[in-house]
Amino acid sequence: MSHSIGVDVGGTFTDVVLRGPDGGISVAKCLSTHDDPADGIVTGIITALGRMDPSLVTRVVHATTLATNAVLERRGVRVAYVTTRGFRSAIPLGRYARVEEDRYDLRFDPPAPPVAAGDCFEVPERVNDRGEVLEPLDEAAVARVGEEIARRGVTAAAVCLLHSYANPSHERRVAEILRRVVPTVVISSEVWPELREYERATTTIMSAYVGPVMAGYLRRLTARLAGIGITAPVHVMDSGGGVMSAELAARRAVATIESGPAAGVLAAAASGHPDVISFDMGGTTAKTCVIRNGEPEITHEFHVGGKGSFGGRRAGTGVPVKTPAIDLAEVGAGGGSIAWVDPAGTLRAGPRSAGSEPGPACYGLGGDEPTVTDANLVLGYLDAASFAAGTMSLSLDLAEKAVDRRLAGPLGVSRAEAAHAVHEIANASMGSAVHVVTVQRGIDPRGFVMVAFGGAGPMHAARVASRFGISTVVVPAHCGVGSAAGLLAGDLSTERVLSAPGADPVRVFAILAGAAATDLNVPLGSPGVSVTRSADVRFTGQAHDLTVRWSDSPAELADRFFTRYRQVYGIEQRGPIEVVGYRVRVTQTARHSPADTVPGAREPGGPPKRPEAHDASDAAEVRRAAYFPELGGYVQVPVLTRATLGETAGPAIVEDAEATIVVPPGWTARLADDMAVILTEGGTP
């Protein structure tokens, strides 16, 4: 009997989901260990396994923010950049959009480039955009560059020669020479061979920057799992929602930069609703994504390490990375986000987080700054005696002291008013992320269902949904570990791309499919292996392109492009088009049981179990005071579980195993057949 494990490492908690062969789910939640994430992972897995034999685990799927944190915290390895003679200044010059407060800073200093100017090198060679060699490669110059890189003690090099996507021969030879003295050499034609020299260069640099960090971490994790008896292969979620082997993740670490957030979107997509806005609020950040017809939006370029980008769509707000990624908007608003009063006397919440060390004040681990979690505890939305699946309890006294000392006192307001203001500020921050993925892109959110998960998401979801006229919120079973559950819905897959204007599509697709199949170590044509083809298309003469599903019929391909163009830009446009790039995704479908369509829909040891309906008098037996200003302050509200929910009008609180659901006044909550809690504003769902 085989078992699968999903592991999601967040800024505050590490979530583990264990799924048995019958679809039964058991979960564990423990504090993340930032010095070595593997410590928290092993602790969580041991808890989830209980007395089960670890050798029965046949698959471990992991979502990690390791690559993201390495970029944000500048903890990657030192990288040397090697390019064509005359182009070494492209990276030091870079690009930067002055956003937020930078717009008004007269003494503005741009952020440091991903590679220092002194570590950028150039070699004599030249290839044109058709792949023709205009100047042969000077191999002696390459050898001298390698010696200088080694002399400086630099252990990684990123090589991006002009137009190497059209002819990679020079790049490959440069790599051969450099590898004699430099341990890690990454070339753009292997990482992401697309046109646009700056973006291809930064993608290659980021891969070299985080690759050794990722490789070392995955080796240690595999060894730690083997130490507790788990020898199953370790797979890693990529930014586009696919799953790759640990070996491939180490080689293409840049594809894992948005690994963690992608897993949660898959859980939302598996909820059974076609048009969804996923809302994932954890301890450090909140993330949203639009899912249409059951498929999340995908972008092929995002920016990391910048400000004001809400997940990376705004050009110039960070380092551009060209790799498929689920199109997310992300803000620094989570349960651990610290609330503070700025010098002007204005209350703020986030983006700085208390994380797991020392954590919110109420954790009792040494933190004394109030957070969103502390505010929710003061408001009565959280229960001080039971929190995080029973792994720890909260201190109401410590939360009240932190709110009084840092917020209510300086602002001259009551404790409840200060805490509610923090709650509302967090809602506004998360609302800005929803605005980015919907209204800002011409999408009316009122026709969507919001699917809420994460440890803090269900407490805030209804209030955030109300801001956009979204009348239905779905909170799936095991919502508190939604991202870890979503990992188990991912298929083993990878994507290959090539910019090849005017090339033979049949030949290019065959080459890309073969390379992607090699990446996955699966034979094309075998059962469960599928190939998806797409193309980058643009109007003739335009600079930017859109990705559409491929068709051998030119007319059908054009129609798909026109439809996509109207969807993205809101303009009906027709005219001559050209194909500038080709993409192939090879997928090996995982064997999911019917119960896995909605992660957590089944309880261990049997089919879905829906509790008997209870009337309001049953639900009212347990009550506690919670703060609702529209009702005048603290009021006694029913405290329910999924087993006692039935159909209840707000205000009410539903305490889940890993999260708490707040049902505001004017909303109704009921339990669905798949164990999800459905909230509806203004009436019965």
Side-chain angles (χ1 to χ4, degrees):
M1 298 177 66
S2 61
H3 294 72
S4 300
I5 290 178
V7 181
D8 177 44
V9 179
T12 304
F13 286 100
T14 293
D15 299 337
V16 177
V17 170
L18 172 67
R19 185 185 67 206
D22 64 348
I25 295 288
S26 62
V27 305
K29 202 176 186 76
C30 61
L31 289 171
S32 295
T33 50
H34 298 292
D35 288 342
D36 186 356
D39 289 342
I41 292 173
V42 170
T43 299
I45 288 178
I46 291 174
T47 302
L49 288 174
R51 297 182 179 180
M52 196 191 87
D53 183 357
S55 66
L56 295 177
V57 176
T58 58
R59 187 181 187 225
V60 177
V61 189
H62 182 24
T64 174
T65 57
L66 186 77
T68 308
N69 293 339
V71 174
L72 296 178
E73 299 170 13
R74 296 280 178 157
R75 291 191 290 105
V77 301
R78 183 180 174 186
V79 177
Y81 173 61
V82 182
T83 188
T84 302
R85 181 172 58 186
F87 291 87
R88 64 180 295 273
S89 296
I91 296 302
L93 287 173
R95 297 182 190 146
Y96 190 75
R98 293 180 62 160
V99 298
E100 314 307 337
E101 67 272 12
D102 290 343
R103 294 189 181 98
Y104 313 105
D105 187 355
L106 299 180
R107 299 181 179 179
F108 165 75
D109 289 321
V115 177
D119 288 337
C120 294
F121 301 89
E122 56 187 28
V123 294
E125 70 86 39
R126 192 64 179 267
V127 173
N128 67 16
D129 62 345
R130 295 183 297 277
E132 300 165 345
V133 176
L134 304 180
E135 180 181 355
L137 175 66
D138 186 338
E139 296 188 3
V142 176
R144 290 193 295 271
V145 166
E147 291 170 359
E148 178 61 20
I149 293 173
R151 187 190 68 79
R152 297 184 182 192
V154 181
T155 59
V159 182
C160 183
L161 303 182
L162 204 65
H163 300 304
S164 62
Y165 58 86
N167 182 349
S169 60
H170 283 184
E171 261 194 8
R172 291 172 180 169
R173 182 56 183 154
V174 170
E176 289 178 6
I177 297 171
L178 293 182
R179 283 175 181 144
R180 299 170 185 168
V181 293
V182 181
T184 301
V185 178
V186 180
I187 63 175
S188 70
S189 53
E190 292 180 356
V191 172
W192 214 251
E194 282 192 274
L195 52 77
R196 302 191 189 284
E197 302 302 319
Y198 179 70
E199 290 84 352
R200 181 159 51 87
T202 55
T203 302
T204 308
I205 290 168
M206 287 295 101
S207 190
Y209 185 69
V210 302
V213 177
M214 178 66 73
Y217 165 70
L218 291 174
R219 282 195 302 269
R220 293 192 302 273
L221 177 61
T222 302
R224 293 289 300 277
L225 294 179
I228 61 172
I230 296 177
T231 58
V234 175
H235 293 155
V236 179
M237 175 69 67
D238 70 20
S239 304
V243 175
M244 61 176 68
S245 67
E247 294 78 12
L248 182 57
R251 297 201 311 270
R252 298 180 62 185
V254 70
T256 70
I257 286 180
E258 290 293 316
S259 165
V265 176
L266 294 187
S271 65
H273 299 271
D275 296 327
V276 165
I277 295 172
S278 70
F279 177 68
D280 177 7
M281 182 182 178
T284 306
T285 60
K287 298 161 281 285
T288 64
C289 175
V290 169
I291 300 167
R292 288 194 271 201
N293 298 318
E295 296 291 333
E297 293 287 319
I298 300 291
T299 181
H300 290 93
E301 180 182 323
F302 60 97
H303 301 76
V304 295
K307 65 169 69 172
S309 59
F310 291 103
R313 278 291 293 263
R314 196 186 302 181
T317 56
V319 180
V321 174
K322 288 186 72 66
T323 184
I326 289 178
D327 196 0
L328 292 153
E330 185 172 348
V331 293
S337 294
I338 294 172
W340 49 288
V341 178
D342 68 16
T346 301
L347 179 63
R348 305 288 186 93
R352 190 163 63 91
S353 174
S356 60
E357 297 175 0
C362 60
Y363 283 13
L365 300 176
D368 61 357
E369 295 183 284
T371 66
V372 174
T373 295
D374 293 302
N376 286 333
L377 182 59
V378 168
L379 295 172
Y381 301 155
L382 285 173
D383 180 12
S386 176
F387 180 69
T391 59
M392 63 187 301
S393 60
L394 305 182
S395 169
L396 177 60
D397 181 59
L398 291 176
E400 291 176 340
K401 288 180 179 178
V403 171
D404 288 346
R405 183 173 63 253
R406 298 294 185 102
L407 305 179
L411 292 172
V413 298
S414 70
R415 176 191 300 156
E417 289 172 325
H420 186 259
V422 172
H423 182 87
E424 286 294 288
I425 290 172
N427 290 342
S429 295
M430 292 177 286
S432 66
V434 175
H435 186 274
V436 166
V437 298
T438 57
V439 177
Q440 190 168 303
R441 299 177 189 174
I443 299 172
D444 186 348
R446 291 173 294 183
F448 287 75
V449 170
M450 178 174 286
V451 176
F453 51 97
M459 267 187 297
H460 295 259
R463 296 291 196 188
V464 174
S466 289
R467 293 169 177 262
F468 296 91
I470 300 171
S471 60
T472 302
V473 174
V474 175
V475 184
H478 300 301
C479 59
V481 291
S483 291
L487 288 168
L488 300 179
D491 294 320
L492 193 67
S493 67
T494 190
E495 183 167 319
R496 283 280 187 158
V497 63
L498 180 66
S499 290
D504 176 16
V506 175
R507 176 177 174 274
V508 173
F509 280 133
I511 293 172
L512 294 177
T518 300
D519 288 340
L520 296 182
N521 194 27
V522 298
L524 290 173
S526 59
V529 175
S530 61
V531 178
T532 304
R533 302 181 301 169
S534 56
D536 297 333
V537 185
R538 66 187 181 191
F539 284 113
T540 302
Q542 286 196 342
H544 298 282
D545 50 71
L546 296 172
T547 301
V548 297
R549 188 163 52 88
W550 175 258
S551 172
D552 292 326
S553 166
E556 186 175 4
L557 182 66
D559 284 341
R560 291 175 181 174
F561 171 71
F562 299 149
T563 299
R564 179 63 176 158
Y565 193 94
R566 181 178 65 252
Q567 185 182 65
V568 172
Y569 298 111
I571 300 172
E572 185 73 46
Q573 182 90 1
R574 290 181 174 268
I577 64 170
E578 58 183 349
V579 177
V580 294
Y582 301 89
R583 299 177 185 273
V584 162
R585 178 166 285 274
V586 173
T587 302
Q588 183 181 42
T589 304
R591 292 182 177 88
H592 301 305
S593 68
D596 300 332
T597 304
V598 182
R602 294 172 77 172
E603 296 300 321
K609 296 178 181 178
R610 188 179 189 279
E612 297 294 328
H614 291 254
D615 60 30
S617 62
D618 294 327
E621 292 179 0
V622 179
R623 290 178 173 268
R624 74 165 175 257
Y627 188 83
F628 292 97
E630 59 265 65
L631 299 180
Y634 284 99
V635 294
Q636 293 291 321
V637 301
V639 180
L640 311 163
T641 66
R642 289 183 194 257
T644 61
L645 174 58
E647 183 173 310
T648 302
I653 292 172
V654 181
E655 290 189 335
D656 200 9
E658 303 90 24
T660 297
I661 306 167
V662 173
V663 187
W667 286 74
T668 300
R670 70 174 177 87
L671 190 68
D673 290 336
D674 61 1
M675 297 295 292
V677 174
I678 300 180
L679 311 180
T680 298
E681 187 173 23
T684 302

